[in-house]
Amino acid sequence: MARAAAVKAVSGEMSDASDRMGQILSESARLFATKGYDGTSMRDIAEACGISKSLLYHHFTDKDEIYARIALGSTQRLFEFVEERLPEGGTPPERVRAFMTATGDYFQRYRSNWIASTAAFWSDPELRRHKERMMWRDRYEGLIRRLIQDAINSGDFRPVDVPLTGRLVLSSLNWMHRWYRPEKGLTPAQIADSYYDLIFNGLKAE
């Protein structure tokens, strides 16, 4: 009984720590997205989380570590989020469209993380974290390239330069955060769907 209680207590502490770290990362992403990296202090983060600075430093060494963790976590979650939403029985073009609309949906749900991680992506001096972020980014980019190649192989898309087309797709999506305003017009997923139509169906009248 005593051992079971001890295990339960330890599990509870681990869960609390995980929840606290998640809160810190979420609030930090929101602050970085609205105030910028230089405009956000550890005190700002602690106050937003309702904790002391000493507890904040218990979880993270400094602001750079928080910033880097946001960039790494967002890159990994983006890939997983998009991959999970690809229709298994869909046609190759439907899967390309789903990739783009899922990316737009991710941006809408986790906009603060997207903005903060975009700014932080290349700035982390820690080599191991940088390599891991690049791995997830390459998996995400590799996924759209495979989907485009599948559509070419099926005869749905004409033969094109796959890496170049993949970069066109990602560039259209990655820059949305620079101009998108939630209160105006389409949702990010709807914008991504329109991008799909423009890129793969073109502007030329039938």
Side-chain angles (χ1 to χ4, degrees):
M1 291 290 292
R3 179 179 176 81
V7 170
K8 184 176 181 180
V10 170
S11 298
E13 290 174 2
M14 292 176 63
S15 177
D16 290 344
S18 178
D19 291 344
R20 176 66 72 193
M21 291 181 70
Q23 180 200 18
I24 292 170
L25 292 172
S26 177
E27 289 294 334
S28 298
R30 181 182 61 81
L31 290 170
F32 289 141
T34 55
K35 301 177 64 174
Y37 177 82
D38 291 334
T40 301
S41 66
M42 291 291 274
R43 181 182 298 279
D44 293 332
I45 296 171
E47 289 179 353
C49 295
I51 61 176
S52 65
K53 284 181 65 177
S54 61
L55 181 57
L56 179 59
Y57 279 110
H58 173 74
H59 291 291
F60 295 98
T61 304
D62 52 27
K63 188 170 66 170
D64 286 343
E65 183 185 359
I66 297 175
Y67 204 49
R69 286 284 297 275
I70 291 170
L72 173 58
S74 184
T75 307
Q76 179 179 347
R77 283 195 301 273
L78 171 61
F79 170 79
E80 294 170 344
F81 184 94
V82 171
E83 186 180 45
E84 288 172 359
R85 284 157 178 78
L86 298 180
E88 292 188 9
T91 65
E94 287 172 345
R95 286 167 61 81
V96 173
R97 185 189 291 270
F99 175 99
M100 296 180 68
T101 56
T103 298
D105 191 21
Y106 179 89
F107 168 75
Q108 184 173 19
R109 295 190 190 197
Y110 307 106
R111 189 177 177 214
S112 294
N113 292 68
W114 180 296
I115 294 173
S117 66
T118 298
F121 193 87
W122 300 103
S123 61
D124 183 14
E126 216 288 329
L127 184 60
R128 180 186 61 80
R129 288 192 303 239
H130 180 72
K131 285 184 176 179
E132 192 170 353
R133 281 203 307 278
M134 292 298 293
M135 178 195 74
W136 287 108
R137 189 207 66 168
D138 290 346
R139 291 182 68 177
Y140 174 68
E141 185 171 351
L143 179 56
I144 185 57
R145 291 185 182 185
R146 290 196 302 274
L147 296 174
I148 293 169
Q149 186 63 60
D150 288 344
I152 293 172
N153 295 343
S154 67
D156 291 293
F157 292 171
R158 64 183 176 85
V160 293
D161 185 315
V162 173
L164 189 63
T165 307
R167 284 192 289 271
L168 173 61
V169 170
L170 297 184
S171 294
S172 69
L173 299 170
N174 288 342
W175 283 94
M176 214 178 341
H177 74 279
R178 297 294 296 270
W179 57 264
Y180 175 73
R181 295 294 180 270
E183 68 277 4
K184 295 183 179 180
L186 302 174
T187 67
Q190 290 171 329
I191 293 169
D193 191 62
S194 295
Y195 280 159
Y196 172 88
D197 187 57
L198 290 169
I199 293 172
F200 294 103
N201 294 327
L203 297 174
K204 187 176 180 180
E206 295 183 1

